[in-house]
Amino acid sequence: MSRLDIYKSCTLCPRRCGIDRTAKKGFCGADSTLRIARYSRHYWEEPPISGENGSGTVFFCSCSLKCVFCQNFVISHGQTGYEITTDELAEVFLQLQQKGANNINLVTPTHYLPHILDALDIVKNDLTIPVVYNCGGYESVETIEMLKGYVDIFLPDMKYFDRSLSYEYSRAADYFDTALKAVKKMVDIVGSPVFDDKGLLKSGVIVRHLVLPNERHDSINVIKALGENFNSDEILLSLMSQFTPTEQCKDIEKLSRRTTTFEYESVMKVVEELGFSGYFQQRTSAKSEYIPEFFNNKKVTN
Ligand code: SF4
């Protein structure tokens, strides 16, 4: 049996559509044809991921979460992107390594996992840099289990605590409980953070949280829940502030402005009180120009 047979009755993410993706698209918008929208070195991830040489990002098209405020809307909801084969994806990994990328950073990869694992098998004897799994946190434990031996660093979001909020923005009322179980599995697989002598992350979990406008209380609940479920040395925390109102959320009153300094710092204070190590973002980086350009055909960037 080929791994690609998983697409014939897809339960890769917690939506568990169970549909045949060789015949139609799932909730995520993906069928069984592998599509990406960009690969390049990326310099705006957390410092131990990007370092000086950049992180070797591969942006996959479609998304099983589809947040209304998504900053990469054109690829998560839209049609931007192009088809590639498993062999070409394997070649992309090696090209990024050759250009000096610190790691291979798989961005929103879950719905294409069968292709990605096949590509990683092809390069297993040549790829020497860590593999980063950069996802929205809404993952099933069974799928995360499949990553054992393939992924060194997990970079999940923990977006919401409140069920009605996660339903309102991502149509996933079970977001928090599901993401918490997934992050626990990630910590089980890769353990506490380990750095190399240049300060780059070799393995571990960085949990990201984006502080949304008007939702600081929910953000504080997320951070407190992480404090109740993880020791401060088990995970790193990355508190992000770069929410930018996109065209798609202009009619949602609560999302029509940026996060304020007060909102961001209220959450930061709780992170510090709980003793988590991590990364805080300068609010000046909350600009739409940090959203990368995506492509409809193969384009070599850097
Ligand atoms: S990956 Fe897509 S098709 Fe598969 S269960 Fe999730 S949303 Fe459905």
Side-chain angles (χ1 to χ4, degrees):
M1 181 176 155
S2 147
R3 263 196 201 114
L4 302 187
D5 288 340
I6 292 173
Y7 293 136
K8 290 183 184 162
S9 176
C10 184
T11 53
L12 281 167
C13 85
R15 304 274 182 202
R16 299 188 198 284
C17 300
I19 57 142
D20 180 357
R21 285 173 50 187
T22 63
K24 60 179 179 177
K25 293 177 179 174
F27 179 94
C28 55
D31 57 21
S32 58
T33 304
L34 177 63
R35 287 167 59 84
I36 67 171
R38 178 188 178 92
Y39 67 93
S40 66
R41 283 188 290 163
H42 192 63
Y43 298 89
W44 296 281
E45 306 286 31
E46 288 74 5
I49 300 289
S50 279
E52 281 185 16
N53 288 345
S55 175
T57 47
V58 183
F59 289 86
F60 294 91
C61 299
S62 307
C63 177
S64 59
L65 212 44
K66 291 203 178 336
C67 308
V68 290
F69 52 83
C70 181
Q71 311 286 287
N72 294 338
F73 200 91
V74 292
I75 57 168
S76 61
H77 291 64
Q79 295 306 314
T80 305
Y82 55 92
E83 290 179 27
I84 61 165
T85 65
T86 304
D87 286 341
E88 287 169 335
L89 181 63
E91 187 53 34
V92 161
F93 294 160
L94 294 181
Q95 271 182 39
L96 288 166
Q97 175 172 263
Q98 205 188 3
K99 282 169 188 279
N102 292 317
N103 42 58
I104 298 300
N105 186 343
L106 308 166
V107 185
T108 321
T110 303
H111 46 288
Y112 287 127
L113 206 53
H115 281 104
I116 294 168
L117 294 180
D118 281 355
L120 287 171
D121 278 340
I122 293 171
V123 298
K124 68 177 178 223
N125 295 327
D126 302 307
L127 199 68
T128 55
I129 53 180
V131 174
V132 182
Y133 201 77
N134 182 343
C135 66
Y138 191 57
E139 304 289 341
S140 77
V141 167
E142 297 77 18
T143 298
I144 296 302
E145 181 76 29
M146 290 164 68
L147 300 168
K148 214 185 245 178
Y150 287 93
V151 165
D152 306 286
I153 297 167
F154 285 98
L155 199 51
D157 292 329
M158 185 63 91
K159 293 173 187 284
Y160 320 100
F161 182 80
D162 182 76
R163 292 175 67 83
S164 56
L165 187 66
S166 59
Y167 184 76
E168 181 183 1
Y169 289 163
S170 298
R171 290 287 175 272
D174 60 341
Y175 178 89
F176 178 78
D177 292 343
T178 304
L180 182 63
K181 283 186 201 142
V183 174
K184 284 184 174 173
K185 175 52 78 177
M186 293 172 193
V187 173
D188 271 359
I189 292 176
V190 294
S192 296
V194 176
F195 295 87
D196 69 10
D197 51 11
K198 293 187 195 130
L200 295 169
L201 194 61
K202 282 167 63 178
S203 61
V205 179
I206 302 181
V207 177
R208 285 174 160 172
H209 177 74
L210 174 65
V211 183
L212 293 171
N214 295 297
E215 303 298 350
R216 73 189 159 91
H217 294 295
D218 194 70
S219 290
I220 288 169
N221 285 338
V222 167
I223 303 303
K224 284 184 175 169
L226 289 172
E228 283 161 16
N229 285 279
F230 298 98
N231 295 327
S232 58
D233 59 355
E234 269 183 317
I235 56 170
L236 296 161
L237 260 183
S238 175
L239 193 64
M240 304 189 296
S241 66
Q242 86 274 32
F243 173 81
T244 310
T246 58
E247 183 61 22
Q248 291 71 28
C249 57
K250 68 177 187 322
D251 296 330
I252 305 170
E253 175 74 29
K254 294 188 296 177
L255 296 177
S256 61
R257 64 163 173 82
R258 291 189 176 156
T259 303
T260 64
T261 301
F262 170 73
E263 287 169 327
Y264 183 79
E265 289 184 354
S266 309
V267 185
M268 190 168 85
K269 206 167 139 248
V270 181
V271 174
E272 288 172 340
E273 281 167 8
L274 290 172
F276 282 113
S277 299
Y279 311 96
F280 301 114
Q281 198 170 36
Q282 296 296 317
R283 289 207 64 265
T284 48
S285 66
K287 291 190 178 132
S288 53
E289 55 263 39
Y290 286 89
I291 299 171
E293 187 182 358
F294 298 114
F295 306 107
N296 278 321
N297 43 51
K298 189 171 179 182
K299 182 158 177 175
V300 178
T301 46
N302 63 21

mmCIF file of all heavy atoms in Angstrom, residues 237-267:
data_model
loop_
_atom_site.group_PDB
_atom_site.id
_atom_site.type_symbol
_atom_site.label_atom_id
_atom_site.label_comp_id
_atom_site.label_asym_id
_atom_site.label_seq_id
_atom_site.Cartn_x
_atom_site.Cartn_y
_atom_site.Cartn_z
ATOM 1 N N LEU A 237 8.012 29.763 24.048
ATOM 2 C CA LEU A 237 6.808 30.491 23.640
ATOM 3 C C LEU A 237 7.182 31.653 22.738
ATOM 4 O O LEU A 237 8.155 32.361 23.006
ATOM 5 C CB LEU A 237 6.123 31.066 24.888
ATOM 6 C CG LEU A 237 4.938 30.298 25.442
ATOM 7 C CD1 LEU A 237 4.343 31.043 26.618
ATOM 8 C CD2 LEU A 237 3.874 30.139 24.371
ATOM 9 N N SER A 238 6.416 31.829 21.687
ATOM 10 C CA SER A 238 6.642 32.977 20.815
ATOM 11 C C SER A 238 5.350 33.784 20.795
ATOM 12 O O SER A 238 4.319 33.312 20.307
ATOM 13 C CB SER A 238 6.996 32.479 19.409
ATOM 14 O OG SER A 238 7.093 33.565 18.532
ATOM 15 N N LEU A 239 5.422 34.977 21.353
ATOM 16 C CA LEU A 239 4.225 35.821 21.444
ATOM 17 C C LEU A 239 4.263 36.837 20.304
ATOM 18 O O LEU A 239 5.169 37.661 20.227
ATOM 19 C CB LEU A 239 4.207 36.525 22.798
ATOM 20 C CG LEU A 239 2.892 37.177 23.174
ATOM 21 C CD1 LEU A 239 1.782 36.136 23.341
ATOM 22 C CD2 LEU A 239 3.042 37.970 24.474
ATOM 23 N N MET A 240 3.281 36.739 19.435
ATOM 24 C CA MET A 240 3.322 37.538 18.206
ATOM 25 C C MET A 240 2.300 38.676 18.251
ATOM 26 O O MET A 240 1.233 38.551 18.850
ATOM 27 C CB MET A 240 3.048 36.629 17.007
ATOM 28 C CG MET A 240 4.020 35.455 16.948
ATOM 29 S SD MET A 240 3.902 34.512 15.429
ATOM 30 C CE MET A 240 2.268 33.887 15.544
ATOM 31 N N SER A 241 2.661 39.736 17.562
ATOM 32 C CA SER A 241 1.791 40.921 17.579
ATOM 33 C C SER A 241 1.453 41.393 16.175
ATOM 34 O O SER A 241 0.853 42.436 16.007
ATOM 35 C CB SER A 241 2.502 42.059 18.310
ATOM 36 O OG SER A 241 3.637 42.450 17.568
ATOM 37 N N GLN A 242 1.861 40.621 15.157
ATOM 38 C CA GLN A 242 1.838 41.195 13.802
ATOM 39 C C GLN A 242 0.493 41.102 13.094
ATOM 40 O O GLN A 242 0.444 41.152 11.879
ATOM 41 C CB GLN A 242 2.952 40.586 12.932
ATOM 42 C CG GLN A 242 2.610 39.297 12.223
ATOM 43 C CD GLN A 242 2.849 38.093 13.097
ATOM 44 O OE1 GLN A 242 2.711 38.158 14.306
ATOM 45 N NE2 GLN A 242 3.203 36.981 12.496
ATOM 46 N N PHE A 243 -0.592 40.967 13.860
ATOM 47 C CA PHE A 243 -1.907 40.918 13.210
ATOM 48 C C PHE A 243 -2.114 42.169 12.347
ATOM 49 O O PHE A 243 -1.957 43.295 12.808
ATOM 50 C CB PHE A 243 -3.028 40.828 14.248
ATOM 51 C CG PHE A 243 -4.387 40.940 13.620
ATOM 52 C CD1 PHE A 243 -4.979 39.839 13.023
ATOM 53 C CD2 PHE A 243 -5.049 42.163 13.568
ATOM 54 C CE1 PHE A 243 -6.209 39.944 12.396
ATOM 55 C CE2 PHE A 243 -6.283 42.281 12.943
ATOM 56 C CZ PHE A 243 -6.867 41.173 12.363
ATOM 57 N N THR A 244 -2.465 41.933 11.100
ATOM 58 C CA THR A 244 -2.761 43.027 10.173
ATOM 59 C C THR A 244 -4.160 42.784 9.618
ATOM 60 O O THR A 244 -4.423 41.692 9.099
ATOM 61 C CB THR A 244 -1.769 43.015 8.985
ATOM 62 O OG1 THR A 244 -0.446 42.926 9.502
ATOM 63 C CG2 THR A 244 -1.893 44.267 8.151
ATOM 64 N N PRO A 245 -5.077 43.759 9.732
ATOM 65 C CA PRO A 245 -6.414 43.530 9.163
ATOM 66 C C PRO A 245 -6.300 43.320 7.654
ATOM 67 O O PRO A 245 -5.678 44.129 6.968
ATOM 68 C CB PRO A 245 -7.181 44.829 9.467
ATOM 69 C CG PRO A 245 -6.361 45.539 10.483
ATOM 70 C CD PRO A 245 -4.951 45.097 10.308
ATOM 71 N N THR A 246 -6.823 42.234 7.170
ATOM 72 C CA THR A 246 -6.758 41.968 5.737
ATOM 73 C C THR A 246 -8.081 42.393 5.093
ATOM 74 O O THR A 246 -9.064 42.641 5.780
ATOM 75 C CB THR A 246 -6.538 40.456 5.474
ATOM 76 O OG1 THR A 246 -7.615 39.752 6.079
ATOM 77 C CG2 THR A 246 -5.224 39.966 6.024
ATOM 78 N N GLU A 247 -8.070 42.416 3.776
ATOM 79 C CA GLU A 247 -9.267 42.766 3.011
ATOM 80 C C GLU A 247 -10.449 41.872 3.428
ATOM 81 O O GLU A 247 -11.584 42.332 3.562
ATOM 82 C CB GLU A 247 -8.920 42.566 1.521
ATOM 83 C CG GLU A 247 -9.982 42.940 0.525
ATOM 84 C CD GLU A 247 -10.369 44.414 0.594
ATOM 85 O OE1 GLU A 247 -9.566 45.220 1.085
ATOM 86 O OE2 GLU A 247 -11.501 44.725 0.172
ATOM 87 N N GLN A 248 -10.127 40.589 3.682
ATOM 88 C CA GLN A 248 -11.189 39.611 3.943
ATOM 89 C C GLN A 248 -11.881 39.829 5.282
ATOM 90 O O GLN A 248 -12.993 39.372 5.486
ATOM 91 C CB GLN A 248 -10.625 38.182 3.920
ATOM 92 C CG GLN A 248 -10.192 37.703 2.555
ATOM 93 C CD GLN A 248 -8.927 38.399 2.059
ATOM 94 O OE1 GLN A 248 -8.091 38.833 2.847
ATOM 95 N NE2 GLN A 248 -8.781 38.512 0.758
ATOM 96 N N CYS A 249 -11.236 40.507 6.230
ATOM 97 C CA CYS A 249 -11.903 40.680 7.522
ATOM 98 C C CYS A 249 -12.306 42.130 7.754
ATOM 99 O O CYS A 249 -12.576 42.528 8.887
ATOM 100 C CB CYS A 249 -11.069 40.111 8.670
ATOM 101 S SG CYS A 249 -9.430 40.758 8.864
ATOM 102 N N LYS A 250 -12.410 42.892 6.691
ATOM 103 C CA LYS A 250 -12.708 44.317 6.873
ATOM 104 C C LYS A 250 -14.126 44.551 7.408
ATOM 105 O O LYS A 250 -14.393 45.587 8.005
ATOM 106 C CB LYS A 250 -12.471 45.101 5.580
ATOM 107 C CG LYS A 250 -13.413 44.819 4.455
ATOM 108 C CD LYS A 250 -13.081 45.736 3.284
ATOM 109 C CE LYS A 250 -14.063 45.669 2.146
ATOM 110 N NZ LYS A 250 -14.618 44.372 1.797
ATOM 111 N N ASP A 251 -15.027 43.573 7.220
ATOM 112 C CA ASP A 251 -16.395 43.740 7.726
ATOM 113 C C ASP A 251 -16.571 43.202 9.140
ATOM 114 O O ASP A 251 -17.660 43.216 9.690
ATOM 115 C CB ASP A 251 -17.395 43.035 6.793
ATOM 116 C CG ASP A 251 -17.392 43.676 5.413
ATOM 117 O OD1 ASP A 251 -17.130 44.892 5.338
ATOM 118 O OD2 ASP A 251 -17.623 42.947 4.424
ATOM 119 N N ILE A 252 -15.497 42.650 9.710
ATOM 120 C CA ILE A 252 -15.594 42.144 11.079
ATOM 121 C C ILE A 252 -15.048 43.227 12.004
ATOM 122 O O ILE A 252 -13.835 43.458 12.065
ATOM 123 C CB ILE A 252 -14.802 40.822 11.242
ATOM 124 C CG1 ILE A 252 -15.291 39.795 10.207
ATOM 125 C CG2 ILE A 252 -14.937 40.272 12.658
ATOM 126 C CD1 ILE A 252 -14.435 38.552 10.099
ATOM 127 N N GLU A 253 -15.957 43.889 12.684
ATOM 128 C CA GLU A 253 -15.623 45.063 13.506
ATOM 129 C C GLU A 253 -14.424 44.804 14.435
ATOM 130 O O GLU A 253 -13.479 45.586 14.499
ATOM 131 C CB GLU A 253 -16.889 45.440 14.298
ATOM 132 C CG GLU A 253 -16.735 46.555 15.316
ATOM 133 C CD GLU A 253 -16.615 47.920 14.654
ATOM 134 O OE1 GLU A 253 -17.168 48.095 13.560
ATOM 135 O OE2 GLU A 253 -15.954 48.791 15.258
ATOM 136 N N LYS A 254 -14.446 43.634 15.124
ATOM 137 C CA LYS A 254 -13.411 43.341 16.127
ATOM 138 C C LYS A 254 -12.024 43.166 15.509
ATOM 139 O O LYS A 254 -11.019 43.244 16.205
ATOM 140 C CB LYS A 254 -13.758 42.040 16.874
ATOM 141 C CG LYS A 254 -15.003 42.123 17.728
ATOM 142 C CD LYS A 254 -15.176 40.868 18.582
ATOM 143 C CE LYS A 254 -15.382 39.626 17.755
ATOM 144 N NZ LYS A 254 -15.485 38.402 18.561
ATOM 145 N N LEU A 255 -11.997 42.881 14.215
ATOM 146 C CA LEU A 255 -10.712 42.627 13.552
ATOM 147 C C LEU A 255 -10.302 43.766 12.624
ATOM 148 O O LEU A 255 -9.452 43.605 11.756
ATOM 149 C CB LEU A 255 -10.791 41.324 12.742
ATOM 150 C CG LEU A 255 -11.013 40.032 13.531
ATOM 151 C CD1 LEU A 255 -11.152 38.839 12.592
ATOM 152 C CD2 LEU A 255 -9.864 39.780 14.513
ATOM 153 N N SER A 256 -10.897 44.935 12.833
ATOM 154 C CA SER A 256 -10.665 46.018 11.873
ATOM 155 C C SER A 256 -9.474 46.905 12.244
ATOM 156 O O SER A 256 -9.210 47.900 11.596
ATOM 157 C CB SER A 256 -11.924 46.874 11.740
ATOM 158 O OG SER A 256 -12.214 47.442 13.000
ATOM 159 N N ARG A 257 -8.781 46.555 13.308
ATOM 160 C CA ARG A 257 -7.596 47.338 13.688
ATOM 161 C C ARG A 257 -6.476 46.403 14.118
ATOM 162 O O ARG A 257 -6.684 45.202 14.279
ATOM 163 C CB ARG A 257 -7.948 48.302 14.830
ATOM 164 C CG ARG A 257 -8.358 47.589 16.120
ATOM 165 C CD ARG A 257 -8.294 48.532 17.312
ATOM 166 N NE ARG A 257 -8.832 47.952 18.535
ATOM 167 C CZ ARG A 257 -8.161 47.144 19.352
ATOM 168 N NH1 ARG A 257 -6.927 46.762 19.054
ATOM 169 N NH2 ARG A 257 -8.709 46.691 20.450
ATOM 170 N N ARG A 258 -5.298 46.987 14.323
ATOM 171 C CA ARG A 258 -4.172 46.194 14.821
ATOM 172 C C ARG A 258 -4.302 45.984 16.331
ATOM 173 O O ARG A 258 -5.059 46.687 16.987
ATOM 174 C CB ARG A 258 -2.864 46.895 14.495
ATOM 175 C CG ARG A 258 -2.623 46.859 13.010
ATOM 176 C CD ARG A 258 -1.258 47.345 12.661
ATOM 177 N NE ARG A 258 -1.095 47.176 11.226
ATOM 178 C CZ ARG A 258 -0.275 47.861 10.481
ATOM 179 N NH1 ARG A 258 0.512 48.761 11.030
ATOM 180 N NH2 ARG A 258 -0.191 47.642 9.202
ATOM 181 N N THR A 259 -3.512 45.049 16.830
ATOM 182 C CA THR A 259 -3.426 44.823 18.276
ATOM 183 C C THR A 259 -2.706 46.009 18.910
ATOM 184 O O THR A 259 -1.712 46.497 18.360
ATOM 185 C CB THR A 259 -2.637 43.519 18.526
ATOM 186 O OG1 THR A 259 -3.300 42.461 17.837
ATOM 187 C CG2 THR A 259 -2.539 43.191 19.996
ATOM 188 N N THR A 260 -3.198 46.489 20.048
ATOM 189 C CA THR A 260 -2.544 47.643 20.683
ATOM 190 C C THR A 260 -1.359 47.190 21.546
ATOM 191 O O THR A 260 -1.264 46.018 21.933
ATOM 192 C CB THR A 260 -3.520 48.409 21.597
ATOM 193 O OG1 THR A 260 -3.904 47.531 22.665
ATOM 194 C CG2 THR A 260 -4.759 48.875 20.833
ATOM 195 N N THR A 261 -0.512 48.151 21.856
ATOM 196 C CA THR A 261 0.628 47.864 22.745
ATOM 197 C C THR A 261 0.120 47.387 24.101
ATOM 198 O O THR A 261 0.652 46.447 24.689
ATOM 199 C CB THR A 261 1.484 49.140 22.921
ATOM 200 O OG1 THR A 261 1.925 49.526 21.624
ATOM 201 C CG2 THR A 261 2.679 48.909 23.826
ATOM 202 N N PHE A 262 -0.937 48.014 24.606
ATOM 203 C CA PHE A 262 -1.499 47.609 25.902
ATOM 204 C C PHE A 262 -1.937 46.146 25.853
ATOM 205 O O PHE A 262 -1.635 45.359 26.763
ATOM 206 C CB PHE A 262 -2.687 48.513 26.280
ATOM 207 C CG PHE A 262 -3.450 47.997 27.457
ATOM 208 C CD1 PHE A 262 -2.924 48.074 28.745
ATOM 209 C CD2 PHE A 262 -4.699 47.386 27.287
ATOM 210 C CE1 PHE A 262 -3.616 47.562 29.841
ATOM 211 C CE2 PHE A 262 -5.393 46.868 28.369
ATOM 212 C CZ PHE A 262 -4.853 46.964 29.645
ATOM 213 N N GLU A 263 -2.656 45.760 24.800
ATOM 214 C CA GLU A 263 -3.134 44.372 24.694
ATOM 215 C C GLU A 263 -1.946 43.405 24.666
ATOM 216 O O GLU A 263 -1.926 42.404 25.385
ATOM 217 C CB GLU A 263 -3.972 44.197 23.414
ATOM 218 C CG GLU A 263 -5.342 44.851 23.505
ATOM 219 C CD GLU A 263 -6.069 44.903 22.163
ATOM 220 O OE1 GLU A 263 -5.413 45.044 21.107
ATOM 221 O OE2 GLU A 263 -7.298 44.829 22.173
ATOM 222 N N TYR A 264 -0.980 43.722 23.848
ATOM 223 C CA TYR A 264 0.173 42.831 23.702
ATOM 224 C C TYR A 264 0.945 42.715 25.024
ATOM 225 O O TYR A 264 1.265 41.611 25.476
ATOM 226 C CB TYR A 264 1.091 43.340 22.582
ATOM 227 C CG TYR A 264 2.260 42.423 22.342
ATOM 228 C CD1 TYR A 264 2.113 41.250 21.615
ATOM 229 C CD2 TYR A 264 3.512 42.722 22.868
ATOM 230 C CE1 TYR A 264 3.173 40.393 21.412
ATOM 231 C CE2 TYR A 264 4.583 41.869 22.671
ATOM 232 C CZ TYR A 264 4.416 40.707 21.938
ATOM 233 O OH TYR A 264 5.470 39.849 21.747
ATOM 234 N N GLU A 265 1.181 43.855 25.662
ATOM 235 C CA GLU A 265 1.987 43.823 26.889
ATOM 236 C C GLU A 265 1.249 43.164 28.054
ATOM 237 O O GLU A 265 1.877 42.583 28.940
ATOM 238 C CB GLU A 265 2.447 45.239 27.241
ATOM 239 C CG GLU A 265 3.497 45.697 26.231
ATOM 240 C CD GLU A 265 4.110 47.055 26.504
ATOM 241 O OE1 GLU A 265 3.655 47.757 27.441
ATOM 242 O OE2 GLU A 265 5.037 47.427 25.769
ATOM 243 N N SER A 266 -0.091 43.216 28.055
ATOM 244 C CA SER A 266 -0.855 42.527 29.112
ATOM 245 C C SER A 266 -0.602 41.027 29.037
ATOM 246 O O SER A 266 -0.496 40.341 30.056
ATOM 247 C CB SER A 266 -2.366 42.721 28.929
ATOM 248 O OG SER A 266 -2.682 44.050 28.772
ATOM 249 N N VAL A 267 -0.515 40.507 27.819
ATOM 250 C CA VAL A 267 -0.300 39.072 27.638
ATOM 251 C C VAL A 267 1.167 38.731 27.927
ATOM 252 O O VAL A 267 1.484 37.730 28.585
ATOM 253 C CB VAL A 267 -0.696 38.633 26.205
ATOM 254 C CG1 VAL A 267 -0.590 37.119 26.064
ATOM 255 C CG2 VAL A 267 -2.108 39.108 25.868
#
